[in-house]
Amino acid sequence: MEMGKADLRDAGSFVNGVTYRAFDLFDAGLDRLGEILTIIVGLFERGELSLLPVRAWDVREAVSAFRLMSRGGHVGKNVLTFPVLSTVMARF
């Protein structure tokens, strides 16, 4: 499942029995959305769900990070970090 509206796909572009359907959580209504969120919070509290991993990449390794993402070789979030200014200035 991917959540987001920025990259909606054409349902006909999938093969091998894969189905795709875009949806908006708010279509369920605020009461149902509240029920769903309560269930999800409970799953996290009981340890049945956990946060996805976060991998930090030095911004100077951005090409490698984007290459990994383009191959779908990651799970979770990739974050670009910037070196501390004093570390960068020490090189000059």
Side-chain angles (χ1 to χ4, degrees), residues 14-88:
F14 292 86
V15 295
N16 299 330
V18 174
T19 58
Y20 175 85
R21 188 177 120 211
F23 65 92
D24 188 326
L25 286 174
F26 287 106
D27 288 346
L30 293 179
D31 290 338
R32 180 64 181 137
L33 184 56
E35 293 170 5
I36 293 168
L37 292 175
T38 299
I39 292 168
I40 291 171
V41 167
L43 292 169
F44 276 107
E45 289 174 342
R46 291 189 303 277
E48 296 175 46
L49 285 180
S50 59
L51 296 175
L52 291 172
V54 176
R55 182 171 178 183
W57 298 77
D58 185 295
V59 71
R60 294 166 287 195
E61 297 294 325
V63 171
S64 296
F66 284 110
R67 189 173 291 127
L68 180 73
M69 288 190 320
S70 73
R71 292 192 317 259
H74 70 289
V75 172
K77 299 291 181 184
N78 287 297
V79 178
L80 296 177
T81 61
F82 292 85
V84 178
L85 185 57
S86 61
T87 305
V88 175

